[in-house]
Amino acid sequence: MIGYVFSRLLSAIPVLAGVAIFVFLLLELTPGDPALIIAGDLASPEQVEAVRQALNLDRPAYQRLVGWVGDMLVGDFGNSLFSGLPVSQLIAQRIEPTLLLSLMAISIAVLVGVPLGLASAWWPRGYLARFTMAGAVIGFSVPVFVVAFGLVYVFAIRLGWFPVQGYPGLSGGISGALVALTLPALSLSTLYIALIARVTHASTLEVLGEDYVRTAHAKGLAVWKIALRHVLRNAGVPIITIIGIGFAALLGGVVVTETVFNIPGLGRLAADSILRRDYPVVQTLILLFSIVYVLVNLAVDLAYAALDPRIKY
Amino acid sequence: MTNITSSPEFTPRQKRGIARIDAFKQRPVLAVSLAIIFIAVLLALFAPVLTTDPAHINPIKRLKPPSSEDWFGTDQIGRSVFARVIWGARVSLLVGLMVALVTTIVGVAIGICAGYFSRLDSVIMRIMDAVMAIPAVLLAIALVAMIGASPLVLVIAISLPEIPRMARMVRANVLVMRAQTFVEAAVTCGASVPWILRHHILPAAAGPILVQATYVLASAMILEAILSFLGAGTPPDVPSWGNMMSEGRQFLQLAPWILMFPAICLGLVILAVNTLGDALRDLLDPNLSPAAGKVGDLQ
């Protein structure tokens, strides 16, 4: 098991190296003088020079790449060109709402998606099944910000149950933070619910036809026990897989949702930094998101073993 | 002698036509989806004829609700929302189609290289993994912001995150086909690589490629709207659904129609394209799992 975790972490290195090189190339792709573009049209020659110094643009590319990777390995992610603050400090300030938002969205998605998928496979001809399958296609098709504006219009503007935007922070009490994040988490989870419901439906349908499910029924086991112990556990591997794969969509959705709801999180920071070409912040954030994605998918692979004793690492 | 041709006989062409109508009757959802796509394409094509100038400003009629005169109402500087929605369809569909085309061509080429030439396989797939590990939205806005907004950059920026999924799917198909006995036989007979690709491998992969391209079209339209919404997509003077929603959000309370109509149109068209993709998938390969291909639909 530990050996497997270790080898998986090793195999993540080329992927992350690829991401790092790619992010690095982004600056090289910039037509003309990157310092001039980053500093903007209104910058004085001194400001342009300062940007050039900050990014070491006067040195050859390979030296900068090596220097950047070396700095990161010792925990130095550079300073924001916009605010001058260290990137690590910026990220630390902004991470709380993003973590909370992602956790809420995943919880909602699992708590809604799995039961919906299970029930629609259990009663495949019922109204719930039809509703779920139609809802899943709609969930795939409606962009996250359209869902967000729909929810804001109905629940914040018309009904006034939730704030339209903003995030008070956990320091102001947990309930305030949770209420502020309810609508963002709901809009973020729509796509995820659709994915999970669809995959749960498909994999449950397969398991329901198995002999051991019939046996469980025949020996008079309570339905909920059959559903949890026999059906869901055996249908679990594809469901866990989709949760890992869908995580990429979740991270992208965070960027959009935080912008719509004006939440000062990492996604918002990423979008703002990209638009103001705050290059050190962009580099670090894209790398951070990729690391999270790779780690989540490693966790998913490890969860297989917990669900299915036939899988051993 | 009885005349055996007296009963009404249909020519093969008519028979196919009838079979088609029956197919639509059995699939009302598919028929509606195709109708929506068809109407959207027509409206987009004939936008200059059908509507007034989308940039025409009429300060007297600002933030007016939908009426018989302005079907979708007017925006904060008195432009017709209806005209802008119709013109926005052009941007959305054009970008979507271009991205689907670019993704298909590049993705198929990469997938064939990875699947057919095992030496390139692991290098190519690691690069694809790296691209997939970056959230699509971030990747696309970063490209547009760093290289500069132009239609070409926009199409490339949206295609890039879509390519790995297409490449992976093609690669998997190529690997399966390569192991088939008749392909081995062709290799033994000395058939060239392009010949084998054209006669054995590509025909088998064509169905899944078409289905995947449909999903790419839908997801590209979503991504274009997101980019425009975040301010890194189509320039503000071009009416696109994402731009309209980005402007309309400030007036959500006063004039919800500015945001509502482009949102509904975007949702409807994407829903129709996704449904078309599902129908194509069921038609071409009933064995595919229901969520295959859509899995990473980026938002």
Side-chain angles (χ1 to χ4, degrees), chain B residues 38-235:
Chain B
F38 188 65
I39 293 170
V41 170
L42 275 188
L43 288 178
L45 275 179
F46 295 106
V49 190
L50 290 167
T51 64
T52 49
D53 179 11
H56 178 70
I57 296 169
N58 188 351
I60 307 164
K61 290 199 295 181
R62 279 181 310 173
L63 298 175
K64 287 273 179 285
S67 63
S68 57
E69 205 175 330
D70 293 294
W71 290 352
F72 290 180
T74 58
D75 68 0
Q76 70 280 10
I77 48 176
R79 292 174 300 193
S80 158
V81 174
F82 178 71
R84 294 178 71 73
V85 165
I86 302 293
W87 281 78
R90 295 191 133 190
V91 176
S92 215
L93 288 171
L94 195 65
V95 171
L97 284 174
M98 293 299 292
V99 170
L101 197 69
V102 171
T103 305
T104 306
I105 294 172
V106 179
V108 168
I110 293 178
I112 285 176
C113 287
Y116 209 89
F117 307 106
S118 44
R119 283 190 189 171
L120 294 172
D121 190 25
S122 61
V123 176
I124 291 179
M125 290 330 279
R126 287 301 82 71
I127 297 174
M128 294 294 113
D129 285 348
V131 176
M132 277 180 98
I134 305 174
V137 176
L138 283 186
L139 182 55
I141 45 173
L143 276 173
V144 174
M146 294 313 291
I147 305 177
S150 75
L152 181 68
V153 173
L154 192 62
V155 169
I156 294 174
I158 300 176
S159 303
L160 194 61
E162 304 281 348
I163 288 172
R165 275 195 297 280
M166 178 69 88
R168 277 189 155 192
M169 191 274 300
V170 173
R171 170 182 173 268
N173 269 296
V174 172
L175 284 178
V176 170
M177 290 311 291
R178 259 198 79 182
Q180 302 284 324
T181 327
F182 60 85
V183 177
E184 271 175 37
V187 175
T188 320
C189 293
S192 69
V193 174
W195 192 92
I196 294 172
L197 286 177
R198 210 173 61 230
H199 289 90
H200 287 323
I201 292 180
L202 279 182
I209 291 172
L210 184 67
V211 173
Q212 184 70 19
T214 319
Y215 293 143
V216 168
L217 173 63
S219 119
M221 289 172 64
I222 295 183
L223 204 49
E224 188 275 326
I226 288 177
L227 288 188
S228 299
F229 177 76
L230 291 174
T234 37

Side-chain angles (χ1 to χ4, degrees), chain A:
Chain A
M1 180 80 173
I2 292 168
Y4 176 76
V5 173
F6 193 69
S7 73
R8 272 297 304 269
L9 284 175
L10 275 184
S11 75
I13 290 174
V15 173
L16 292 177
V19 174
I21 292 172
F22 186 83
V23 173
F24 182 78
L25 280 179
L26 216 50
L27 194 60
E28 299 298 310
L29 282 173
T30 318
D33 183 356
L36 208 60
I37 289 176
I38 289 170
D41 296 335
L42 300 171
S44 65
E46 291 78 28
Q47 284 170 316
V48 175
E49 194 51 40
V51 169
R52 187 167 295 142
Q53 293 295 329
L55 294 177
N56 292 322
L57 284 174
D58 41 4
R59 286 198 283 163
Y62 72 93
Q63 279 188 14
R64 272 185 285 134
L65 180 61
V66 172
W68 176 51
V69 173
D71 283 349
M72 277 198 304
L73 290 179
V74 296
D76 177 9
F77 298 100
N79 295 330
S80 159
L81 296 176
F82 186 73
S83 62
L85 294 170
V87 176
S88 46
Q89 189 188 332
L90 275 177
I91 291 178
Q93 283 172 355
R94 301 285 201 106
I95 202 163
E96 176 203 301
T98 305
L99 270 182
L100 205 56
L101 177 61
S102 323
L103 281 178
M104 278 176 80
I106 295 180
S107 315
I108 294 173
V110 173
L111 289 178
V112 177
V114 172
L116 272 183
L118 184 67
S120 63
W122 206 281
W123 300 290
R125 292 187 205 294
Y127 284 107
L128 187 73
R130 287 188 200 171
F131 166 79
T132 306
M133 289 303 107
V137 182
I138 296 174
F140 276 126
S141 306
V142 184
V144 57
F145 58 106
V146 172
V147 181
F149 285 124
L151 290 174
V152 166
Y153 188 71
V154 175
F155 293 104
I157 293 180
R158 288 277 141 189
L159 296 170
W161 293 353
F162 297 98
V164 175
Q165 57 175 22
Y167 172 72
L170 272 180
S171 49
I174 191 157
S175 62
L178 289 183
V179 168
L181 289 182
T182 304
L183 292 185
L186 279 176
S187 29
L188 193 50
S189 60
T190 319
L191 173 82
Y192 227 166
I193 293 175
L195 271 175
I196 293 178
R198 227 167 139 152
V199 170
T200 308
H201 173 86
S203 67
T204 307
L205 268 185
E206 269 172 39
V207 175
L208 279 178
E210 297 283 344
D211 288 343
Y212 53 77
V213 175
R214 199 177 48 198
T215 310
H217 275 294
K219 74 181 182 187
L221 201 63
V223 171
W224 65 271
K225 278 188 185 165
I226 301 176
L228 283 181
R229 286 193 200 159
H230 292 279
V231 177
L232 260 193
R233 184 152 181 191
N234 282 295
V237 169
I239 302 174
I240 297 278
T241 311
I242 205 73
I243 292 176
I245 295 174
F247 204 79
L250 184 84
L251 288 175
V254 162
V255 177
V256 181
T257 321
E258 289 185 353
T259 309
V260 170
F261 288 96
N262 215 352
I263 297 167
L266 290 182
R268 183 78 200 280
L269 180 66
D272 288 350
S273 305
I274 290 175
L275 293 181
R276 49 170 109 104
R277 304 198 184 86
D278 193 345
Y279 201 69
V281 184
V282 175
Q283 276 182 330
T284 316
L285 276 177
I286 291 186
L287 206 57
L288 178 72
F289 279 146
S290 312
I291 292 174
V292 170
Y293 175 72
V294 170
L295 288 183
V296 164
N297 279 292
L298 172 63
V300 161
D301 282 0
L302 295 179
Y304 291 164
L307 268 176
D308 189 341
R310 284 168 300 184
I311 301 176
K312 280 210 177 76
Y313 297 123

